C-alpha cells in the first residue's frame, strides 16, 4: 500500500520567514495530494491540494509543488504569521482499484508541528 | 463548521467495555471514514464506507467495528479487543464525484480508565 513520509516533524520560524514542509510517497499511481492544517484540539481542514497533472499550485501565501518523477511534494508558506502555528499533514491518494473499493482512501504523513514566533 | 458532527466530544471508558462513537453528516456525501490520531503518528484509517450497507477495513481495523445503515450515519464501536483505545477519533466524509475533498468532524477524545 501507499506510504507517506513527512519532514520535518517540528519546525520553528520567526514571523515573516518562510516555512517549507516536505513529503514523499511510495505509490507512483497516487494522483491527488492534499494538505491539511489542524489547530490544537480542532479538526483538520484542507488548505490546499494538487493533482498529478499539475506541477505547482498557489493560493495567496501558500503554495504546493509536486515532483512526480521523484515522488515528492512540498508545502511552502511565505510571510508566516503566528496564526499559521498548527500541525500540518500531507496526504496522498491513489486511483480506484479494479474493484473500486479503495477509491478516496487517503494515506497521511506523520504531521509537522509548525511554530511561528512573533 | 457544521455538516459533520461527532458525539460525544469526550468519552471515558473502563477497561473491558465496548463503546460507540457517533458520526453524522448532512452533506449528502457518499463516503465516510474513521481515523485514529495519536501524537506523532498522523491519522490512521480504521474503516471506511463508500455506500450504504458496505464498508472496508482500513489499516488498523482490529478491535473496531462499524455499520452503515443510513447514508448520513457511520458509527464506530471500540470493542474490548482493542488493546490501546485511548486516542482522538476523527470521522470524515467525502463525495465520490466532483471535488472529492474530505471534510472532518470535530473529533471524539476517548480515554480508557
Amino acid at each position: 500500500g501507499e506510504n507517506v513520509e513527512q519532514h520535518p516533524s517540528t519546525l520553528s520560524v520567526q514571523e515573516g520567514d518562510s516555512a517549507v514542509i516536505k513529503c514523499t510517497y511510495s505509490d507512483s499511481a497516487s494522483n491527488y495530494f492534499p494538505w491539511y492544517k489542524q489547530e490544537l484540539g480542532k479538526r483538520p481542514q484542507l488548505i490546499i491540494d494538487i493533482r498529478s497533472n499539475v506541477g505547482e499550485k498557489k493560493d495567496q501565501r501558500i503554495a504546493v509543488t509536486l515532483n512526480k518523477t521523484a515522488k515528492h511534494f512540498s508545502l511552502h508558506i511565505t510571510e508566516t504569521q503566528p496564526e499559521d502555528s498548527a500541525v500540518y499533514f500531507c496526504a496522498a491518494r491513489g486511483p480506484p482499484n479494479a474493484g473500486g473499493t479503495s477509491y478516496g482512501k487517503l494515506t497521511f504523513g506523520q504531521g509537522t508541528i509548525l511554530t511561528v514566533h512573533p | 463548521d457544521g455538516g459533520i458532527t461527532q458525539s460525544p466530544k469526550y468519552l471515558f471508558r473502563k477497561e473491558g467495555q465496548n463503546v460507540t462513537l457517533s458520526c453524522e453528516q448532512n452533506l449528502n456525501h457518499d463516503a465516510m471514514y474513521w481515523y485514529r490520531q495519536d501524537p506523532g503518528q498522523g491519522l490512521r484509517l480504521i474503516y471506511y464506507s463508500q455506500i450504504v450497507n458496505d464498508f472496508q477495513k482500513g489499516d488498523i481495523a482490529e478491535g473496531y467495528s462499524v455499520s452503515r445503515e443510513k447514508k448520513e450515519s457511520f458509527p464506530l464501536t471500540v470493542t474490548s479487543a482493542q488493546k490501546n483505545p485511548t486516542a482522538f477519533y476523527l470521522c470524515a466524509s467525502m463525495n465520490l464525484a466532483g471535488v472529492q475533498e474530505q471534510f472532518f468532524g470535530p473529533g471524539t477524545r476517548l480515554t480508557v480508565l
Side-chain angles (χ1 to χ4, degrees):
Chain A
E2 175 66 276
N3 183 52
V4 177
E5 296 288 334
Q6 182 173 345
H7 298 281
S9 56
T10 61
L11 180 58
S12 183
V13 300
Q14 288 296 128
E15 183 176 1
D17 289 349
S18 295
V20 180
I21 302 171
K22 299 181 179 181
C23 289
T24 60
Y25 61 99
S26 60
D27 188 347
S28 58
S30 290
N31 58 10
Y32 173 68
F33 307 92
W35 285 89
Y36 285 84
K37 175 183 179 182
Q38 185 179 29
E39 297 178 359
L40 188 63
K42 301 284 185 66
R43 70 186 81 191
Q45 293 194 306
L46 181 73
I47 55 172
I48 196 167
D49 56 12
I50 191 167
R51 299 186 185 275
S52 57
N53 58 348
V54 176
E56 183 175 358
K57 184 177 179 180
K58 189 173 181 179
D59 182 4
Q60 299 184 343
R61 297 186 296 109
I62 295 173
V64 57
T65 58
L66 172 64
N67 184 326
K68 288 171 54 181
T69 302
K71 290 188 286 187
H72 68 69
F73 56 112
S74 300
L75 177 72
H76 305 253
I77 306 174
T78 59
E79 301 172 22
T80 55
Q81 302 166 2
E83 51 265 39
D84 294 330
S85 297
V87 181
Y88 291 81
F89 293 98
C90 64
R93 187 179 75 207
N97 63 3
T101 59
S102 71
Y103 194 67
K105 180 182 172 184
L106 288 175
T107 301
F108 284 84
Q110 296 86 347
T112 297
I113 302 171
L114 173 64
T115 304
V116 181
H117 299 281
Chain B
D1 290 356
I4 305 178
T5 58
Q6 291 184 241
S7 61
K9 187 172 182 179
Y10 298 97
L11 189 57
F12 297 89
R13 190 194 92 174
K14 293 182 180 179
E15 282 192 24
Q17 287 182 335
N18 291 357
V19 63
T20 298
L21 283 59
S22 169
C23 178
E24 304 277 334
Q25 54 98 2
N26 62 5
L27 302 168
N28 199 33
H29 284 172
D30 306 298
M32 297 186 74
Y33 307 83
W34 273 106
Y35 294 92
R36 170 179 172 144
Q37 186 173 24
D38 296 282
Q41 295 194 46
L43 281 68
R44 293 183 291 168
L45 183 64
I46 304 172
Y47 268 98
Y48 63 105
S49 167
Q50 297 182 73
I51 193 170
V52 174
N53 292 324
D54 187 52
F55 46 84
Q56 281 77 42
K57 293 181 179 180
D59 301 318
I60 56 166
E62 185 175 353
Y64 299 97
S65 66
V66 293
S67 63
R68 187 88 186 276
E69 297 178 0
K70 300 184 296 182
K71 187 176 184 179
E72 58 270 22
S73 179
F74 192 41
L76 173 75
T77 296
V78 184
T79 75
S80 56
Q82 169 51 236
K83 298 306 178 188
N84 185 22
T86 295
F88 189 51
Y89 291 86
L90 285 160
C91 179
S93 69
M94 186 186 82
N95 253 335
L96 293 179
V99 176
Q100 296 169 7
E101 173 187 345
Q102 278 196 20
F103 291 86
F104 285 86
T108 292
R109 187 166 298 279
L110 173 64
T111 302
V112 174
L113 303 174

